[in-house]
Amino acid sequence: MRVEVVDEAHLVEWQAFVDRHLPYISPYHHAGWHTILKECFAVVPYYLRAVDTQGAVQGILPLYFSKSLLLGPHLASMYGGAVCADPAAAEALFDEALRLRDRLKARYLYVKGGAFPSAQPTLAVNAVCTRLRVQPDAAQWLESLPRKTRKAIRLAEEASFSVRRDDAAIDAFYEVYATNMRDLGTPVTGRDLFHAMRRHLDAHFRLYLVERQGQVVGGLLCINDTTSWYPLYASVLDAYKPQYPNYLLYWTAMADAAEIGGVQVFDMGRSTPHSGNHFFKQKWHGEDSPVPHHYYVAPGRPVDPGIAEMRNTLSLKQRMWMRLPLPIANWLGPVTRKQIPFA
């Protein structure tokens, strides 16, 4: 099994492998992310593929290298990690990823789900992915949802919220998203990320806005393929959440997935078990599956427990960030996130 780094000339072949392995991939395996990483972030993509003796691709592992001042120099996978048709490909990919970690003098290799090698990680962080089975009849699907979820959707409609799809309304969505990220104590990515996603993910990109009396109060950005839909980014302004517009927002996207036909899975994405985010996803009668995140720390490097703990506690840095004036947070956030595409 030979492992090689894929460049721009081979991205068409990369995407062909991804398309052959639906629905066992994540939206972050799409070849367009290679270009997005280069355009929007201060990282270097290392897209690895394993090729057998006949020249057939047997596995892929999309990685990027960051020299982050906050998290230290590290090599990280895109969400979904390795996708392999042959177990031997997973071992070969991870062996090369570890060698690459050491050549780049990275502190650790961070793998976010997907196929894992036999080697034990230095540190593991628990996460779950919640997936809904798409029912072809939207009306029947709605009736099968929990009573409280259906009630929340109805209350949002009665409160005069409405949802529309508008893939071009990125800036309107970004204003809401950036506000929420500040309120959560998290530096926001630059708006150029969402514009680049629309350019390079093209027909896979869908953006929904929830409005009230002409004011955009939230949005949901989905990436879709022929079998699965993935709501990657979602935000609703805190002042409106008690009236449940987020339920109407998600349901509108789900109903569209049902109406298109052929879509099997509405993937709500990963979350920390028993968190508020996870609790919301469980209200849609989805199925949870574990997607642990593994850290492989380089020899001689200390294991930093803060890497795991920052996912489960509100740190001092987060509390300080929440107090920043919004214009300052929106200026500093994209600068900070240049080296941290996906924390």
Side-chain angles (χ1 to χ4, degrees):
M1 197 75 67
R2 183 179 78 256
V3 177
E4 53 194 20
V5 178
V6 172
D7 57 21
E8 286 85 350
H10 296 95
L11 289 179
V12 172
E13 296 173 22
W14 177 285
Q15 186 60 39
F17 179 88
V18 169
D19 291 340
R20 288 197 303 272
H21 289 81
L22 300 175
Y24 304 106
I25 55 96
S26 91
Y28 292 98
H29 286 111
H30 191 289
W33 284 101
H34 187 279
T35 305
I36 294 169
L37 285 172
K38 295 180 71 173
E39 285 187 2
C40 301
F41 298 100
V43 301
V44 180
Y46 287 92
Y47 275 36
L48 304 183
R49 67 176 183 180
V51 182
D52 64 20
T53 54
Q54 282 72 47
V57 179
Q58 296 296 325
I60 59 172
L61 176 58
L63 301 167
Y64 60 85
F65 175 61
S66 169
K67 294 183 179 180
S68 170
L69 297 176
L70 292 177
L71 300 181
H74 62 278
L75 185 64
S77 79
M78 299 292 279
Y79 288 113
V83 175
C84 300
D86 183 338
E91 295 293 335
L93 286 167
F94 277 92
D95 286 346
E96 180 58 29
L98 291 173
R99 286 191 289 267
L100 182 60
R101 175 201 66 187
D102 296 339
R103 288 199 301 270
L104 295 171
K105 294 182 171 54
R107 291 184 184 176
Y108 53 87
L109 168 67
Y110 175 25
V111 182
K112 309 165 189 173
F116 289 110
S118 56
Q120 290 297 310
T122 314
L123 182 69
V125 176
N126 292 326
V128 293
C129 186
T130 305
R131 297 181 176 92
L132 314 181
R133 292 293 173 185
V134 175
Q135 299 184 26
D137 188 307
Q140 290 183 7
W141 190 6
L142 179 62
E143 286 303 311
S144 73
L145 294 177
R147 182 179 60 82
K148 289 184 177 180
T149 302
R150 297 197 310 272
K151 181 179 180 181
I153 295 169
R154 186 179 70 253
L155 288 173
E157 292 175 326
E158 292 174 354
S160 300
F161 290 102
S162 61
V163 178
R164 63 182 172 91
R165 180 186 173 189
D166 187 347
D167 295 348
I170 291 171
D171 291 335
F173 168 69
Y174 185 80
E175 296 304 318
V176 173
Y177 179 72
T179 300
N180 271 358
M181 289 300 99
R182 190 280 309 270
D183 293 344
L184 290 171
T186 302
V188 68
T189 58
R191 73 178 71 223
D192 59 331
L193 168 62
F194 301 115
H195 286 284
M197 287 174 65
R198 188 185 180 205
R199 288 195 304 273
H200 300 298
L201 302 182
D202 195 25
H204 300 274
F205 181 97
R206 300 174 74 92
L207 177 60
Y208 294 89
L209 300 178
V210 59
E211 299 174 315
R212 188 180 188 188
Q213 297 177 344
Q215 179 187 356
V216 175
V217 302
L220 177 67
L221 195 162
C222 280
I223 300 300
N224 66 290
D225 56 48
T226 55
T227 63
S228 306
W229 281 32
Y230 308 88
L232 296 191
Y233 298 92
S235 279
V236 170
L237 292 174
D238 283 344
Y240 295 94
K241 286 180 180 178
Q243 295 169 300
Y244 308 109
N246 50 332
Y247 285 81
L248 180 61
L249 185 59
Y250 270 88
W251 170 245
T252 302
M254 292 175 191
D256 280 0
E259 290 181 9
I260 285 177
V263 182
Q264 303 170 23
V265 176
F266 194 87
D267 191 329
M268 301 281 278
R270 73 201 178 282
S271 52
T272 301
H274 313 301
S275 64
N277 194 16
H278 183 217
F279 179 66
F280 171 77
K281 294 173 183 179
Q282 289 181 313
K283 293 183 177 181
W284 300 90
H285 273 180
E287 299 175 2
D288 287 345
S289 57
V291 283
H293 292 186
H294 288 176
Y295 293 84
Y296 301 85
V297 178
R301 297 283 193 172
V303 178
D304 179 9
I307 293 173
E309 290 175 0
M310 71 180 183
R311 300 181 177 277
N312 302 314
T313 60
L314 193 60
S315 68
L316 175 62
K317 290 180 180 179
Q318 287 176 292
R319 291 195 296 270
M320 291 174 62
W321 195 274
M322 293 166 67
R323 294 177 179 275
L324 287 176
L326 188 58
I328 295 176
N330 287 352
W331 178 76
L332 283 176
V335 175
T336 304
R337 291 296 297 272
K338 280 288 183 181
Q339 294 179 322
I340 314 173
F342 313 102

